[in-house]
Amino acid sequence: MNGWERVKSSKSRFGRHSHISSDDRPSRTVRLGHVQPQAPTHRTIYCNDRDANLTVKFKGNSISTTKYNFFTFIPKGLFEQFRRVANLYFLMISILSATPFSPVSPVTNMVPLSLVLLVSLCKEAYEDWKRFQNDMAINNTLVDVLQDQRWEPIPWKKLQVGDIVKVKQDGFFPADLLFLASTNADGVCYTETANLDGETNLKIRKALERTWDYVTPEKAWEFKGEVQCEQPNNSLYTFTGNLIHQKQTLPLTPNQILLRGCSLRNTAYIVAAVIFTGHETKVMMNAMNVPSKRSTLERKLDKLILTLLATLFVMCFIGAIGSATFINRKYYYLSLGKGVEAQFNPDNRLVVFAATMLTLVTLFSTIIPISLYVSIEMIKIFQSTQYINKDLHMYHAETNTPALARTSNLNEELGQVEYIFSDKTGTLTRNMMEFFKCSIGGEVYGTGISEIEMGGAQRTGKRVEMYKSANAVHEKGFNFDDARLMRGAWRNEPNPDMCKEFFRCLAICHTVLPEGDDSPEKITYQAASPDEAALVIAAKNFGFFFYRRTPTMIYVRESHVEKMGKIDDVAYEILNVLEFNSTRKRQSVVCRYPNGRLVLYCKGADSVIYERLAPGQDDLKRITRENLEQYGSAGLRTLCLAYRDLSPEIYEGWNEKFIQAKSSLRDREKKLDEVAELIEKELILIGCTAIEDKLQEGVPDCIETLSKAGIKIWVLTGDKMETAINIAYACKLIHNDMKQFIISSETDVIREVEERGDPVELARVMKEEVRKELSKSLEEAQSCFHTVSGPKLALVIDGKCLMYALDPNLRTMLLNLSLNCTSVVCCRVSPLQKAQVTSLVKKGARKITLSIGDGANDVSMIQAAHVGVGISGQEGMQAVMASDFAIAQFRFLSDLLLVHGRWSYLRICKVVTYFFYKNLTFTLTQFWFTFQAGFSGQRFYDDWFQSLYNVMFTSLPVIIFGLFEKDVSASLSKKYPQLYKEGIRNSYFKWRVVAAWAFSAFYQSLIFYHFVTASSSTGLNSSGKMFGLWDVSTMAFTCVVVTVNLRLLLMCNSITRWHHIGISGSILAWFVFVCIYSLIRENLSYVIYVIMSTVYFYLTFLLVPIVALLGDFLWQGIQRWFFPYDYQIIQEIHRHEPDDYTGAMGLEIRNQLTTDQERSFAISLLPRETSKYTGFAFDSPGYESFFASQHGVYAPQKAWDVIRRASMRTKPKTSTKK
Amino acid sequence: MAERGETSSAVGNDAAQVPFTSAQKISKRPKYSRFTQQELPACKPILTPGWVITAFILVGVVFIPIGLASLLASKRVVEIVDRYDEDCIPQSFKNKTLGYMQDDKTNKTCTRSLVVPKLMKSPIYVYYQLSNFYQNHRRYVKSRSDQQLRSKDGEWKTTNCEPESLVGDKGPIVPCGLIAWSLFNDTYKFSVNDTRLDVNKNNIAWDSDRKHKFGSDVYPKNFQSGGLIGGAKLNSSIPLSEQEDLIVWMRTAALPTFRKLYGKIEHDLEANKTITVTIQNNYNTYDFEGKKHLVLSTASWIGGKNDFLGVAYLAVGGICLFSAIAFILVYVLVPRPLGDPSYLSWNRNPAGRWK
């Protein structure tokens, strides 16, 4: 990750374009913005000719992602601030307080507002400054530009359209470039687009043959091309244009375009011409807004604020009525005679009423806590940047990934999650494939027992011995133990020829690229998916070592084929590659043996392979089918392998059609598929492979913990039902005590209708069936649910049924059923359905949902849920980029939710209620005074007291509280996951809780007002002198500040020295302030010294806070004794235990790896290794990851695929899952 | 909008320079600190019954003696309160008080006899007490000019004083504003057995007011020279800092019923002695049904006669002791062992289901 991501997520001046359409279609590629209609005109660029380009004023290459500049900062920043309702409210109050209606001077409301604005603006400025520095760093990076036949390093920002640049290995492209030449043969270069779409696979770009030679500066100087191309746009994968070079017009494709933000790999350097610069580059035009989510609590907070506003209105109304009745000429000392202002004129009481309304609104405006939002924001930012991002418990050493809170808005939402929607592959499982078993010619090989089988065995109570033969080979990607196939032993098996075909199929039919030394120990394979690599590694271990690839050849070092110990290097000519796509679900390779034998090797999903098998082989088909099912139930990922011998005539005939299709300009994809069908038939089944995808570390424990916490976990997967159920068992999602409802489309009734092939009829029957199943299950579920100790329920439903169940008519039924279930497994679902299910629960049940996933197919689900969590540290960043939080492992979810989420929720709730309380208390004392001041709206407190109350005397402790409050320690939070239920039930922010605080505020304000006034009604001190208004109010204010701060101490569960500093600091700050202030303020002169010179002060100061807190203290004592909260009991249980102290050492010890873990560590590093690959590239770069998609892993579309398919965008975009 | 800023900063913090370095080798392992791991040493108080009972007993033990002491001090204070506003109106003027008050010619002298209930030790403070007089009304409170009161230079700063700010062509009123204008002007003369009791009117205002708020170079000017006379007139040859009645009056009261110090009698008064008070009943409170009281009071260390603090202390102390006893009883009768897991909600609901 790097600065580019900032570029993308930060506001760009083109950001508004992305608002043009905002439909929530799940896309199958990473969506960085929407493709806009292109401008009708085109631009002409004269390469290597700055003067010619001068006439057209192209934009420079310097970029700016800052929101503000020096001049716009104040107006724009303020504008942004006043878009917040709370700030606007206070602005209005401030304006109002500058009118004669106001009882307070404008300072009262201006000071807190400006302080709040200052804090916010400082934050904005700091962030913008960082953005600016980042921009500067990028703008000042040097790049070699061709000047006078020499490469001159100049900063990026000076780059101009038409310049010829040289980019060295691992360098970043400074602008959108037209690729001219490369040091690689064939004018090829490799680019990494991780900054653009998160893909770590290298993409291949190829220059036009005509320009291959312009490598040296001398030669490049001669290049004078003219580029006519489209206007800048934000479509990453399209480009149309022509290069007019030496009077020839050469069409340009995206294949020649190197995009800014990508970096060069495995190529010494390239030479390219600049086409789009700065903000006109595609990556900059794709900069888009991150959709912001608001937490549920915050929305509730809005309601609270509205309630406060209503209260404010009521208070003002009462006061205004009072005022209108009170005002009377009889109070001659008020001089309400003829010339009196309208607001006091007894002749027009309506005006008096209205004016007093305004007066009181300004006076009571403190009821809305102005610093609330700013405080909460600060607390949340601390929580996310300091706690979540830096939690060592969530740091994954193996992938070097700490947790990442991408938004700080949703911290407390994490504490209230009730439903988790989880992807399976890569989230629950490791997505690290190991060749585990296979079946060749009906014979089963591989003796291992998968984790899932172990889980299954455990649930039936069987004991399973892990047995491993002494010479079992185990390397990354290969965990296969069967001596019958190893070291050439397969030659003694019943059908060695079948074995040979099997191994050759594995060694030849793939898109893997070898890398490094061509010795079996040192070679590494660069594969799009770990499955592919696993299969090739398997072939290697069986003695068919694929070590080299050229555009037309695959070299395999075969051992033990002809006779034991003999090693042959065999070169297979690759004639055609029939690539994978989601409709074909298979991949084939036509190859020619050195002896001229023509073979088509094919591997793919059982369903598609079986359809294309040659007649006969019934026994083999039956046995293999059984094996496939067996593997499936063991949670293994299966593939069928088949081959077909081709006669030269058939091949030649077909090849012509193939070439024709390949060169067709329209619908090429479709035509290629059709042609492929012609040859992929009459296949001979060889066998099948089974690959194990192990569960992530700690998944079952984590799931168990989470379900104890009252969280319901739904697994949404593209897997087969059996696999899904088995995984669910292995993860402890489902166990045998549960009552399971299975709604499957694989019933006889449906199959029968399916065979008839009438889609309308099928839909009707399916819907009817699903409805029947649902209502039956619901009935049973409800009867179960009404009995006290009935079994827990689980629902398993497959994608097809889900499609009908999500129908508006059946939706409520599905919802009712699934809400009663502790766990739900949806299998064979598409990304769209994942999102639909998520929003069904989110909107239908109004529960807080969390989605977790790792791949692009989870993006829609992640965006649909309240909280989206992405698994980071693996290939692909799409999920992370769409998520709100990113963690490296599923198991960290327990830390994220039970520790951070719970604490954040608790803290924010308490902070909010406390804010509510302290401001209500303060305002109510003022309100009581209004009754005794003739409803005139006279302020009880001095202006500055009132204005600093929120920002100085009571703000710090509550922020400290929000940062450090802990009811129970982190380890106890995880030990007693049930504590989390308080969040789900929203125990801390119910109206009841708020009402209790309101009552407390009411009680305390009465105490403050009446105790202080009543006790000061006679002569004070032995000198018999009397107090005035300001003496009494200063006294009252002192009591309020002290009490409110002490009240905070009373609600703390853990008191650090920061609490002491904050609370005593605030109280001290008040005294220091008032001592200085009363010296300089006229109407308050020496007030504090006067009152402090009396005994009265000390007596009251002792009495009032204690009386005020007595009620709360008593209630807390009673509550703890008779109605203890769970956390209180747990505090008591563990009261003698020392604090958590992980220390730096504690985690180190935990991180010491067993050998097995080390191996998985090594595997985990595999896909992240930087490719050193410099070898071969296919002539048409573009293989979608066949195996990945085959197994229900969504294979993100590669740029090159998109490039080629850009013309075919009308195709349905889902159903990549088989 | 602001949200986006946060997000990007959260994402991009450590990544700012990445295009130019290799991020792969740097460990992203967060550094350990007690703060980030939320393991700051903390005291974790648990409000056990022991603590609750101790706290209550402590408060009770401290408060009851204080309460007793305050109450005793308050009880020792001898106070004579006499409402005179009604009785000081001649019968004939009962229904036309306004005319009576405004007429210069009516005799406003009124004589009251007060009996000293107990020995009153000197100094005896003389207060006047007004009710239903809203000195805390917004219009009233702001109707003053502190600058003007403090120094001669502020003479013209009368913006807040309307309508008592300027007198036609004669310039500003000093002291301006409604507060000064409505200065209390009843006077009291005391005598016992025809012996005159002197009322010391010095040092009745707070020192800080005299020294810092009212200037010694500010003299009354144009005061009460307008059409309507609000109250007392001031001797324009005495600087404001020595006009203690004004200073006392201008420390506006917090509540509509208030007492203000009138003066001190520096003689002991024997019990059962009758004090004759000659009142000049000048001040008009009849318009707004305000009551006027004359208060004679001694003072103890706690101040004047005010049982409130004592009673409050005693009551709170009593409540605390009572609560302590109640808690002890509960502790004995319904014990709840600390940290009993059976109290956990999930142990109470065996089914473990939450709806």
Side-chain angles (χ1 to χ4, degrees), chain A residues 699-755:
Chain A
V699 164
D701 290 344
C702 177
I703 288 185
E704 205 176 9
T705 311
L706 292 178
S707 56
K708 263 195 211 156
I711 300 172
K712 287 155 192 164
I713 297 164
W714 294 30
V715 172
L716 310 176
T717 166
D719 275 324
K720 278 179 253 169
M721 184 166 274
E722 302 77 43
T723 322
I725 293 177
N726 279 310
I727 293 273
Y729 266 104
C731 299
K732 299 191 184 171
L733 258 179
I734 303 183
H735 44 81
N736 278 351
D737 305 337
M738 283 181 158
K739 182 153 182 55
Q740 297 172 21
F741 302 108
I742 298 181
I743 302 178
S744 163
S745 57
E746 305 276 301
T747 61
D748 292 339
V749 184
I750 293 171
R751 212 171 271 162
E752 218 172 88
V753 185
E754 238 171 3
E755 271 161 30

Side-chain angles (χ1 to χ4, degrees), chain A residues 80 130 134 333-334 341 390 400 907 936 966 1019 1022 1024 1026 1029 1031 1055 1099 1120 1126 1132 1139 1142, chain B residues 1 7 13 16 28 37-39 43-44 125 127 134 138-139 206 251-252 284 304 313 336 339 345:
Chain A
E80 292 288 312
K130 282 207 307 198
N134 187 45
Y333 53 87
L334 298 178
E341 306 103 299
K390 294 196 177 165
N400 189 19
R907 288 165 181 167
S936 57
K966 260 201 300 197
S1022 40
M1026 296 293 305
L1029 169 61
D1031 307 282
I1055 301 168
L1099 284 181
R1120 183 158 201 137
D1126 290 334
E1132 288 166 10
D1139 264 5
T1142 2
Chain B
M1 280 293 187
T7 312
N13 268 353
K28 291 181 191 155
Q37 302 309 307
Q38 311 197 54
E39 286 167 0
C43 134
K44 290 181 281 183
Y125 297 104
Y127 299 96
Y134 286 87
R138 179 153 67 96
R139 185 171 165 78
W206 293 98
R251 199 173 185 103
T252 48
N284 180 11
Y313 265 103
R336 172 170 86 75
S345 63

